[in-house]
């Protein structure tokens, strides 16, 4: 097959852009993703990637067929007819191109989907933005994905507040192992699915003696087991038991385990100490909320995949105001995009429109934007105590109670771990925080005055 047009494609669409006044945004979204899939003396077939671009074939045909043909003549001296097809249909519409699809990314994805229905294809190391807030977790995940032999970090224990990338990393590990170490048997599960499986097999086991062995086969006959959001099975005794047995069976035979949780092992209440120790024995590693640069980088990646382009100051506004978690960031971004799609065609979204779009969003999430420092300031101010004294070693009652109130409020209205709260309050040990939080909770039940104080402080902090 000749490839003159394909070989010169970048120059051809460049010519089109420069001579037909194609807006940069349209150039990026309409023309850059196009692909020449076959060409002859008389015809060229150009494919639209429907998943990215939508079905714009007839639009391109109407508005750009002639300009594109002219550009082809200008660059290659060829007079051909341009045919636009969508990727999915193109193999039917054109001859001699079906082999092109045999090993296409799309087919590979399909095969993966069939074999690993639990795998989220959108989550891979390729689209995980690495920054100081998650670099350790990312490095550990890559190390395990490259050597999933239970020797590197076992278990790898990822923890963070919600929406910061644990699940994304777990799928990235899975994907990498599937693609690079196909000899490893791998299974990912959420603790909810695991719980359902356990309950179901217990119920079935009354009639069916193979139910429990089947469950064990499913989770123990693997080389790598990833379990997401382990905190949800704590407190469910029989599920927890089954999980521990699974964990032990795999751990003892050197199989790789990856666990995620909203807290570090030491803070998982209701977990026996020997399992806290076990879970901590490999590498417990946390992920922090993204900084501004990371948030911008994530938004820019989303922009590349989107047909609506936002100005940098709008992106920056979103990044500044919704980076408590990446899920929140994505939600805010999607909302602005939706607003701009609803606005008049051709109208650029302004900063005011973005602010308006995010108004509810941001105030809804105000409690989650509280920082420990702010809480400490408000509490000190309320009790009229010196911040320095509050953070000091002293234990007189006039500062012990405000300090414990800080612990309580931080634990309720930020996603900080007890360890971090301890650090913020200058305490050596997170158990002090645990004790303080429980003390306030207990006292509030019997102490009306304390209850009132907390209510007032919540008002001052603007949380419900
Ligand atoms: P968690 O499991 O910690 O609650 P997720 O892994 O579900 O969080 O992440 C929430 C969303 O943010 C997902 O859409 C995920 O793809 C995205 N995300 C998280 N971290 C990153 C990152 N570092 N780079 C790109 N996207 C990210
Ligand atoms: Mg998750």
């Amino acid at each position: 097959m000749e490839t003159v047009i394909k070989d010169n494609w970048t120059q051809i669409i460049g010519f089109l852009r420069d001579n037909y006044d194609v807006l940069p945004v349209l150039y990026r979204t309409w023309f850059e993703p196009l692909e020449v899939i076959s060409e002859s003396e008389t015809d060229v077939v150009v494919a639209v990637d429907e998943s990215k671009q939508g079905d714009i074939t007839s639009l391109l045909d109407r508005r750009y067929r002639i300009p594109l043909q002219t550009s082809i003549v200008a660059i290659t001296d060829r007079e051909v007819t341009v045919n636009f097809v969508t990727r999915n249909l193109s193999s039917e519409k054109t001859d001699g191109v079906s082999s092109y699809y045999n090993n296409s990314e799309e087919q590979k994805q399909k095969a993966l989907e069939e074999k690993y229905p639990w795998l989220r294809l959108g989550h891979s190391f390729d689209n995980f933005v690495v920054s100081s807030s998650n670099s350790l977790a990312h490095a550990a995940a890559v190390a395990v994905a490259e050597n999933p032999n239970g020797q590197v970090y076992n278990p790898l224990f990822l923890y963070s507040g919600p929406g910061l990338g644990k699940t994304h990393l777990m799928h990235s590990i899975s994907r990498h192992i599937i693609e690079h170490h196909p000899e490893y048997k791998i299974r990912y599960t959420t603790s909810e699915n695991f719980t359902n499986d356990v309950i179901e097999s217990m119920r079935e086991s009354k009639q069916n003696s193979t139910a429990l062995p089947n469950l064990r086969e499913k989770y123990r006959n693997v080389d790598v087991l990833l379990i997401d959001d382990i905190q949800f099975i704590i407190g469910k005794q029989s599920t927890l038991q089954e999980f521990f047995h699974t964990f032990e069976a795999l751990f003892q035979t050197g199989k790789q385990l990856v666990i995620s949780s909203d807290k570090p092992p030491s803070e998982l209440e209701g977990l026996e100490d020997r399992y806290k120790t076990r879970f901590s024995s490999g590498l417990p590693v946390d992920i922090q909320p993204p900084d501004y640069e990371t948030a911008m980088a994530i938004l820019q990646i989303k922009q590349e995949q989107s047909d609506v382009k936002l100005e940098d100051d709008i992106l920056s506004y979103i990044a500044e105001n919704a980076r408590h978690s990446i899920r929140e960031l994505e939600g805010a971004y999607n909302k602005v995009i939706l607003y701009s799609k609803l606005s008049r065609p051709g109208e650029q979204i302004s900063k005011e429109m973005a602010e308006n779009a995010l108004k509810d969003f941001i105030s809804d999430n105000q409690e989650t934007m509280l920082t420990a420092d702010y809480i400490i300031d408000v509490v000190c101010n309320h009790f009229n105590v010196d911040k320095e004294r509050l953070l000091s070693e002293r234990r007189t009652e006039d500062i012990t109670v405000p300090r414990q109130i800080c612990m309580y409020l931080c634990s309720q209205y930020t996603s900080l771990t007890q360890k971090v709260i301890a650090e913020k309050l200058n305490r050596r040990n997170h158990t002090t925080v645990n004790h303080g939080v429980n003390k306030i909770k207990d006292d509030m039940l019997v102490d009306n005055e304390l209850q009132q104080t907390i209510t007032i402080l919540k008002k001052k902090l603007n949380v419900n």
Side-chain angles (χ1 to χ4, degrees):
M1 187 174 101
E2 284 184 294
T3 57
V4 186
I5 298 176
K6 190 178 170 74
D7 294 345
N8 290 288
W9 187 246
T10 315
Q11 290 92 298
I12 294 169
I13 56 173
F15 183 92
L16 177 86
R17 176 194 55 207
D18 300 339
N19 291 279
Y20 292 90
D21 291 334
V22 179
L23 288 174
V25 42
L26 297 184
Y27 178 74
R28 275 201 307 276
T29 51
W30 287 359
F31 295 99
E32 277 188 344
L34 292 177
E35 207 167 337
V36 177
I37 54 171
S38 83
E39 59 183 276
S40 67
E41 290 284 342
T42 53
D43 284 271
V44 55
V45 180
V46 178
V48 171
D49 184 347
E50 204 174 353
S51 64
K52 278 194 202 143
Q53 303 178 275
D55 185 5
I56 54 167
T57 47
S58 59
L59 183 147
L60 288 179
D61 193 56
R62 234 178 18 252
R63 290 192 19 200
Y64 290 101
R65 192 163 54 82
I66 306 291
L68 196 53
Q69 287 174 181
T70 312
S71 307
I72 292 173
V73 175
I75 303 292
T76 66
D77 231 11
R78 290 267 171 130
E79 276 188 46
V80 292
T81 307
V82 172
N83 305 280
F84 292 102
V85 296
T86 63
R87 252 193 189 188
N88 315 345
L89 298 175
S90 52
S91 52
E92 292 158 25
K93 279 198 185 170
T94 58
D95 285 327
V97 291
S98 51
S99 64
Y100 172 83
Y101 292 92
N102 280 349
N103 290 319
S104 73
E105 193 55 25
E106 226 167 284
Q107 291 222 334
K108 219 170 82 191
Q109 304 249 349
K110 268 222 174 86
L112 276 178
E113 250 167 23
E114 267 164 32
K115 194 152 177 224
Y116 303 95
W118 46 261
L119 189 66
R120 285 205 213 153
L121 292 167
H123 290 171
S124 69
F125 286 128
D126 293 342
N127 59 13
F128 188 85
V129 176
V130 185
S131 70
S132 57
S133 59
N134 59 26
S135 59
L136 197 56
H138 173 261
V142 170
V144 165
E146 286 185 344
N147 292 295
N149 52 13
Q151 306 284 311
V152 192
Y153 308 115
N154 206 18
L156 172 61
F157 193 101
L158 302 168
Y159 66 93
S160 77
L164 292 176
K166 299 180 294 295
T167 299
H168 191 135
L169 278 180
M170 290 183 115
H171 285 282
S172 307
I173 295 173
S174 308
R175 174 80 177 260
H176 189 92
I177 296 175
I178 289 166
E179 288 181 342
H180 296 89
H181 305 281
E183 70 279 16
Y184 281 85
K185 258 183 110 167
I186 171 167
R187 180 170 289 284
Y188 160 95
T189 186
T190 61
S191 58
E192 276 157 334
N193 281 339
F194 185 79
T195 306
N196 291 342
D197 278 354
V198 173
I199 293 171
E200 189 151 322
S201 70
M202 283 182 170
R203 203 178 47 216
E204 265 182 32
S205 65
K206 292 188 188 109
Q207 279 109 37
N208 179 354
S209 63
T210 59
L212 278 173
N214 284 346
L215 176 80
R216 294 187 178 149
E217 163 75 17
K218 180 170 174 185
Y219 289 106
R220 298 186 196 183
N221 185 18
V222 296
D223 301 303
V224 183
L225 179 67
L226 305 101
I227 182 152
D228 208 351
D229 288 326
I230 191 85
Q231 72 273 13
F232 293 132
I233 61 173
I234 290 168
K236 296 178 183 152
Q237 275 319 315
S238 44
T239 308
L240 197 54
Q241 277 297 323
E242 185 59 37
F243 179 70
F244 288 150
H245 290 313
T246 307
F247 181 92
E248 279 305 302
L250 292 170
F251 191 76
Q252 295 302 342
T253 50
K255 306 298 188 194
Q256 179 70 49
L257 288 130
V258 181
I259 303 173
S260 85
S261 160
D262 65 342
K263 297 184 197 69
S266 58
E267 289 180 21
L268 286 169
E269 282 175 33
L271 190 67
E272 282 175 52
D273 281 347
R274 60 195 173 116
Y275 284 108
K276 289 186 182 171
T277 314
R278 263 279 192 266
F279 287 172
S280 307
S281 68
L283 180 71
V285 53
D286 71 334
I287 307 178
Q288 293 292 324
D291 54 23
Y292 170 78
E293 278 73 28
T294 312
M296 274 303 270
I298 289 170
L299 293 180
Q300 262 143 11
I301 290 187
K302 293 188 78 66
Q303 278 280 274
E304 279 168 22
Q305 295 157 355
S306 164
D307 51 353
V308 179
K309 302 295 166 191
L310 302 175
E311 299 289 331
D312 271 355
D313 65 328
I314 308 278
L315 290 183
S316 162
Y317 177 77
I318 302 172
E320 266 164 18
N321 287 287
R323 64 190 157 84
H324 193 260
S325 86
I326 294 173
R327 191 172 293 129
E328 176 182 289
L329 184 74
E330 290 182 340
Y333 172 82
N334 291 339
K335 189 152 185 206
V336 174
I337 292 284
L338 181 70
Y339 255 61
S340 88
K341 281 191 172 154
L342 295 176
S343 63
R344 261 171 275 134
E347 187 182 10
Q348 275 290 339
I349 186 155
S350 66
K351 179 107 178 283
E352 287 68 40
M353 284 163 78
E355 279 171 10
N356 204 19
L358 297 187
K359 207 166 57 198
D360 299 339
F361 199 93
I362 286 168
S363 57
D364 275 348
N365 284 282
Q366 209 157 45
E367 79 235 40
T368 59
M369 310 206 14
L370 285 178
T371 62
D373 290 326
Y374 182 65
I375 292 176
I376 296 168
D377 284 343
V378 170
V379 172
C380 285
N381 196 298
H382 180 82
F383 288 100
N384 202 14
V385 296
D386 217 317
K387 191 167 174 179
E388 246 167 53
R389 277 187 69 223
L390 189 105
L391 300 180
S392 73
E393 294 286 325
R394 300 170 65 149
R395 296 192 188 191
T396 48
E397 201 190 341
D398 66 327
I399 49 172
T400 305
V401 174
R403 193 184 284 143
Q404 287 174 336
I405 290 179
C406 286
M407 295 171 184
Y408 169 79
L409 292 169
C410 288
S411 82
Q412 299 291 304
Y413 301 109
T414 71
S415 58
L416 302 174
T417 62
Q418 292 188 345
K419 184 163 159 261
V420 177
I421 297 173
E423 282 165 15
K424 294 280 180 196
L425 284 160
N426 222 3
R427 304 294 106 185
R428 254 176 251 125
N429 204 321
H430 71 82
T431 51
T432 318
V433 174
N434 198 19
H435 169 77
V437 172
N438 289 333
K439 175 104 181 30
I440 297 295
K441 277 187 187 163
D442 293 344
D443 289 356
M444 253 167 36
L445 297 173
V446 290
D447 183 345
N448 279 341
E449 200 182 325
L450 177 65
Q451 224 178 58
Q452 281 268 235
T453 307
I454 300 285
T455 308
I456 294 168
L457 280 168
K458 277 163 59 180
K459 286 218 170 86
K460 289 188 174 177
L461 292 168
N462 202 8
V463 294
N464 317 306

